[in-house]
């Protein structure tokens, strides 16, 4: 019991540290979005959002799965080779793969028929192509320092240097009279600042690199060993961005800017899950190895319920604050309100219940690909049907439909392959509390109809969040359930 409790404490400790970094990062993100939308305009912001989404997808390929596989390599090979040299092998391979992808990006844009790619988007893609390598190396170096259980280097590089460096660079570029290039320069600046510090952190965590003694391992065997993980990351990356690509193709840069803003504002919902990932991933692998799939399924179900309970207050707040928050960036962005809520709901479902994806990924990686492929296929089909008639709201609805389809397939896969089944009502307490809390907030707002907007919106948020906290606590007391993580095996 003590070992299990210690595993839960490790996960929660890492989650708190990462979440603190995300809060700091989100402050910079909001400031950057304000600068980008207000100073550079909705069309340029839309082109920037589309280009960054394409680059980030390429990063999932160029990273070759090392965000997760590096842990395994360091554990398995660290006995026979110096740990820094294992990292250098990964960095070399990631650099070569990412630069090759960047070159293909640039060639594809230059060779594309006139009119196929909007001019602003094409320019941005070429400008940002080298940063595929920058971001992929940043992911790999951050994983290396995290392997030593030292999260502060990733938090500082990702949550302070990258976003605040980008913000300062964007302001400076605008002051110097740059147009679209200003946003692109800011992406370079944030990436390079974070990359330099991540390299410093890896050096501090792993020790001297000793380049003169390093002899790289053959590249092709490493590529083959990483193939499944890379394909999985690419499919996940495509799933998280295909909706924005469809908006850009079907609706153009302006709506892509509105939709891109909605995608950015709902990020805190996703970051709740990401706060847990750094230490949850290796501990799930440990629990799976020691206790088997069924017991790990029970542990991940408990983690899913805790994550859901932490995500729901953000969704409640967005229900009441979404319109004024979007309006702060510009009146045109309020058209993304329903897209914001639908995207937040989709991220909540995927983030919480997708924890069990790790069981499938570790034991049956090709089955995990089928879940992601189903997400993408349903998303594409729904998007093709919904985006033109319903605009950005239709795009977000297609994402939610895709996530629900993936959740159903995941559930069937867990039951069929591993005998894991969780009752549907397992997370009913947090979900029911949230629904009643939204109703309470709307009721308070109805009583205050005609009041000044700050009072009207603030009262809704306060009533919603306080009702949720009280109702969740009441459910826990009456049901005897907990939000603990005491079924995991200590790492």
């Amino acid at each position: 019991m003590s070992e299990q409790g210690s595993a839960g404490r490790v996960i929660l400790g890492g989650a708190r540290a990462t979440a603190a970094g995300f809060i700091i990062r989100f402050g910079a993100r909001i400031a950057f979005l304000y600068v980008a939308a207000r100073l550079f305009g909705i069309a340029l912001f839309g082109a920037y959002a589309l280009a960054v989404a394409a680059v980030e997808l390429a990063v999932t390929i160029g990273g070759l799965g090392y965000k997760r596989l590096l842990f395994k390599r360091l554990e398995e090979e660290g006995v026979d080779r110096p740990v820094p040299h294992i990292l250098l092998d990964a960095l070399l391979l990631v650099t070569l793969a990412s630069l090759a992808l960047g070159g293909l990006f640039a060639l594809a844009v230059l060779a594309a028929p006139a009119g196929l790619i909007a001019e602003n988007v094409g320019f941005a893609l070429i400008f940002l192509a080298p940063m595929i390598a920058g971001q992929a190396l940043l992911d790999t170096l951050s994983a290396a320092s995290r392997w030593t259980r030292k999260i502060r280097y990733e938090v500082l590089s990702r949550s302070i240097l990258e976003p605040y460096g980008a913000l300062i660079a964007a302001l400076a570029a605008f002051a110097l009279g740059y147009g679209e290039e200003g946003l692109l320069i800011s992406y370079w600046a944030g990436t390079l600042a974070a990359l330099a510090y991540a390299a410093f952190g890896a050096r501090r965590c792993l020790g001297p690199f000793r380049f003169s003694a390093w002899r790289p391992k053959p590249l092709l065997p490493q590529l083959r060993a990483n193939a499944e993980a890379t394909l999985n990351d690419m499919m996940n990356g495509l799933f998280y961005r295909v909706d924005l690509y469809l908006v850009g193709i079907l609706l153009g840069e302006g709506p892509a800017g509105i939709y891109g803003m909605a995608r950015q504002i709902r990020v805190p919902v996703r970051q709740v899950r990401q706060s847990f990932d750094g230490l949850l991933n290796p501990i799930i692998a440990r629990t799976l190895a020691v206790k088997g799939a069924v017991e790990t399924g029970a542990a991940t179900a408990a983690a899913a319920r805790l994550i859901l309970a932490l995500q729901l207050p953000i969704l409640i707040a967005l229900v009441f604050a979404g319109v004024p928050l979007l309006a702060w960036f510009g009146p045109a962005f309020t058209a993304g309100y329903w897209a914001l809520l639908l995207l937040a709901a989709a991220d909540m479902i995927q983030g919480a219940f997708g924890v069990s994806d790790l069981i499938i990924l570790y034991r049956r990686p090709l089955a995990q690909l089928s879940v992601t492929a189903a997400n993408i296929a349903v998303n594409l089909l729904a998007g093709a049907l919904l985006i033109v008639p319903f605009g950005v709201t239709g795009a977000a609805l297609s994402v939610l439909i895709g996530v629900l389809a993936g959740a159903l397939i995941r559930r069937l896969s867990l039951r069929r392959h591993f005998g894991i089944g969780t009752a549907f009502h397992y997370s009913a307490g947090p979900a029911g509390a949230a629904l009643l809390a939204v109703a309470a907030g709307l009721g308070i707002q109805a009583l205050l109809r005609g009041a000044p907007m700050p009072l009207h919106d603030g009262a809704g948020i306060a009533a919603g969040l306080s009702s949720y906290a009280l109702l969740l606590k009441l459910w826990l007391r009456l049901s005897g359930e907990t939000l603990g993580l005491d079924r995991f095996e200590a790492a």
Side-chain angles (χ1 to χ4, degrees), residues 30 41 49 61 101 109 116 145 147 189-190 221 233 235 242 245 282 324 366 420 422:
I30 289 291
I61 304 170
L101 277 172
V109 172
L116 181 62
S145 58
W147 177 70
D233 286 349
M235 296 291 283
V242 69
Y245 302 151
L366 292 180
I420 297 172
T422 303

Side-chain angles (χ1 to χ4, degrees), residues 85-217:
H85 291 178
I86 300 169
L87 174 60
L88 290 176
D89 290 340
L91 295 176
L92 174 62
L93 199 58
V94 165
T95 300
L96 294 175
S98 300
L99 290 177
L101 277 172
L104 289 174
F105 251 59
L107 287 174
V109 172
L110 293 173
L116 181 62
I117 300 175
E119 183 178 352
N120 286 335
V121 177
F123 175 75
L125 284 170
I126 294 174
F127 198 105
L128 295 182
M131 287 300 98
I132 297 171
Q135 287 288 327
L137 290 170
L138 178 55
D139 284 341
T140 308
L141 288 164
S142 297
S145 58
R146 205 179 335 125
W147 177 70
T148 66
R149 301 293 191 269
K150 295 177 182 176
I151 298 180
R152 62 180 179 273
Y153 295 107
E154 182 176 18
V155 170
L156 286 170
S157 61
R158 282 293 196 184
S159 300
I160 296 179
L161 291 172
E162 184 178 15
Y164 285 96
L167 173 62
I168 293 169
L171 289 169
F174 182 80
L176 293 172
Y178 286 97
E180 181 187 8
E181 299 93 337
L183 290 175
L184 307 177
I185 290 169
S186 72
Y187 191 87
W188 272 71
T191 299
L192 293 178
L195 182 60
Y197 188 75
F200 167 77
R203 166 66 175 75
R204 291 290 300 271
C205 291
L206 302 183
F209 289 140
R210 304 188 189 281
F211 290 99
S212 60
W214 172 50
R215 298 296 180 268
K217 289 184 66 176

Side-chain angles (χ1 to χ4, degrees), residues 137-464:
L137 290 170
L138 178 55
D139 284 341
T140 308
L141 288 164
S142 297
S145 58
R146 205 179 335 125
W147 177 70
T148 66
R149 301 293 191 269
K150 295 177 182 176
I151 298 180
R152 62 180 179 273
Y153 295 107
E154 182 176 18
V155 170
L156 286 170
S157 61
R158 282 293 196 184
S159 300
I160 296 179
L161 291 172
E162 184 178 15
Y164 285 96
L167 173 62
I168 293 169
L171 289 169
F174 182 80
L176 293 172
Y178 286 97
E180 181 187 8
E181 299 93 337
L183 290 175
L184 307 177
I185 290 169
S186 72
Y187 191 87
W188 272 71
T191 299
L192 293 178
L195 182 60
Y197 188 75
F200 167 77
R203 166 66 175 75
R204 291 290 300 271
C205 291
L206 302 183
F209 289 140
R210 304 188 189 281
F211 290 99
S212 60
W214 172 50
R215 298 296 180 268
K217 289 184 66 176
L219 300 182
L220 286 179
Q222 294 182 72
L223 279 174
R224 283 194 294 268
N226 289 25
E228 283 189 0
T230 303
L231 182 58
N232 231 310
D233 286 349
M234 183 190 72
M235 296 291 283
N236 278 312
L238 181 60
F239 166 66
Y240 278 118
R241 296 168 181 87
V242 69
D243 53 321
L244 181 57
Y245 302 151
L246 286 175
V247 170
I249 292 168
L250 298 176
L251 302 179
E253 293 177 1
I258 294 172
Y259 192 70
M261 185 65 73
R263 283 169 52 89
Q264 292 292 327
I265 300 233
R266 65 75 157 97
V267 158
V269 176
R270 179 179 297 179
Q271 289 178 335
V272 172
R273 162 65 190 275
Q274 291 173 336
S275 298
F276 286 83
D277 278 347
L279 294 176
L280 186 62
N281 292 4
I283 287 178
I284 286 178
R286 170 72 174 173
T287 305
L288 192 61
V290 173
K291 296 186 172 182
V294 173
E295 186 64 26
T296 305
T300 57
R305 184 163 64 183
L306 173 60
I307 291 169
L308 181 68
L310 295 174
Q311 289 172 322
L312 282 165
I314 302 172
L315 182 59
I316 293 169
L318 289 176
V319 169
F320 300 103
V323 171
L325 183 56
L326 288 166
W328 186 62
F329 299 101
F333 288 105
T334 57
Y337 172 71
W338 284 107
L340 169 62
L341 295 186
L342 290 168
L343 288 170
D347 263 1
M348 184 180 67
I349 295 168
Q350 178 67 18
F353 301 109
V355 175
S356 54
D357 283 344
L358 291 167
I359 299 173
I360 307 174
L361 180 65
Y362 289 144
R363 289 288 176 89
R364 297 179 68 94
L366 292 180
Q368 176 56 32
L369 279 177
S370 69
V371 176
T372 308
N375 279 337
I376 296 171
V378 174
N379 193 348
L380 282 170
L381 178 60
L385 295 173
L386 297 173
I387 290 176
V388 172
F390 299 107
V392 296
T393 301
L397 182 58
S398 72
V399 173
L400 181 57
I401 292 171
V403 166
L404 291 172
L408 178 60
I409 295 171
R410 178 190 304 115
R411 184 179 180 85
L412 294 173
S413 181
L414 286 168
R415 186 179 295 275
R416 178 186 304 166
H417 297 304
F418 307 103
I420 297 172
T422 303
F424 280 109
H425 66 265
Y426 190 74
S427 297
L435 287 173
L436 292 173
V438 169
L442 292 174
I444 292 294
Q445 286 190 329
L447 294 174
L448 294 174
R449 185 178 291 115
M453 289 304 292
L455 175 60
H456 182 267
D457 296 333
I461 295 172

Side-chain angles (χ1 to χ4, degrees), residues 18 278 309 321 351 458 474 489:
T18 309
L474 179 63
E489 184 72 17

